Amino acid sequence: DQQVKQNSPSLSVQEGRISILNCDYTNSMFDYFLWYKKYPAEGPTFLISISSIKDKNEDGRFTVFLNKSAKHLSLHIVPSQPGDSAVYFCAASETGSSNTGKLIFGQGTTLQVKP
Amino acid sequence: DTAVSQTPKYLVTQMGNDKSIKCEQNLGHDTMYWYKQDSKKFLKIMFSYNNKELIINETVPNRFSPKSPDKAHLNLHINSLELGDSAVYFCASSQIGWGIEQFFGPGTRLTVL
């Protein structure tokens, strides 16, 4: 029962263009969402997050959009750079009074940015 | 100035052996986690400790036993290793209340032969 899904295993874009990575979730109790980036042989590194009270959060070239009614979020990278080539994981959490910090991860999307 | 470190980075062992993976964080966080990334690349939480107290214990075989001697350390001991235990194990830490972001170690690739 995968509560967080990234249905595109891979994505290839040209340098300078926009990369759009998608994530869907099923648990309506999730109220905080994160994107992580992972290079081979390294641990995931935090990229950007969004609370369910917002529908957009921007940090430099990275923007995360949240559509609660569709239970969908997306990560936009613009412009894409070759150094962005990595695996991107979407994660979700249910915070609140019993917040344990538990994150549920999607299965990842491999982004390749071609020079 | 490594934030979250794990040892060893690679571990190759025979079925039936017992092994441990160590994790240390110097971020001053009060919560630490163990995740398993299997061959299908799913990253799944196994355990979490908050101030040395177990707060998350997912459906994991009891051959896996986490131990937290202090809030900066969370070790993972695995008894009677099986082929299916082969995976990459990641340690992470966070400060619940400061934010939800977790900081991950570099991972330990365990191969059971």
Side-chain angles (χ1 to χ4, degrees), chain B residues 10-85:
Chain B
Y10 300 96
L11 185 53
V12 181
T13 188
Q14 298 289 328
M15 247 186 347
N17 284 349
D18 303 338
K19 290 294 179 185
S20 293
I21 306 172
K22 295 185 177 182
C23 178
E24 177 180 1
Q25 55 95 4
N26 62 6
L27 297 167
H29 291 164
D30 61 5
T31 306
M32 296 184 72
Y33 312 80
W34 276 111
Y35 286 84
K36 178 181 180 181
Q37 186 179 35
D38 60 22
S39 57
K40 294 183 179 179
K41 306 303 181 186
F42 286 104
L43 199 62
K44 291 185 178 178
I45 190 162
M46 301 171 68
F47 302 102
S48 174
Y49 270 75
N50 177 269
N51 278 322
K52 303 194 294 176
E53 179 185 352
L54 183 66
I55 60 171
I56 297 175
N57 187 355
E58 295 294 296
T59 307
V60 177
N62 57 17
R63 298 182 294 103
F64 290 77
S65 54
K67 284 185 174 55
S68 181
D70 55 63
K71 73 174 191 177
H73 296 83
L74 180 60
N75 304 321
L76 183 65
H77 189 76
I78 316 170
N79 290 328
S80 304
L81 278 156
E82 300 178 356
L83 294 176
D85 297 333

Side-chain angles (χ1 to χ4, degrees), chain A residues 53-94:
Chain A
I53 62 173
K54 295 185 176 181
D55 54 19
K56 176 183 173 181
N57 189 26
E58 190 173 350
D59 183 2
R61 297 186 296 114
F62 302 91
T63 303
V64 56
F65 295 92
L66 175 62
N67 183 334
K68 287 191 293 293
S69 60
K71 294 191 177 69
H72 177 85
L73 63 155
S74 60
L75 175 68
H76 292 211
I77 307 173
V78 56
S80 301
Q81 299 174 354
D84 296 330
S85 297
V87 178
Y88 289 78
F89 289 96
C90 168
S93 183
E94 181 184 344

Side-chain angles (χ1 to χ4, degrees), chain A residues 15-32:
Chain A
E15 181 179 5
R17 306 294 291 267
I18 185 171
S19 295
I20 300 176
L21 297 100
N22 294 303
C23 178
D24 297 295
Y25 61 97
T26 58
N27 187 344
S28 58
M29 299 300 292
F30 287 148
D31 58 359
Y32 209 95

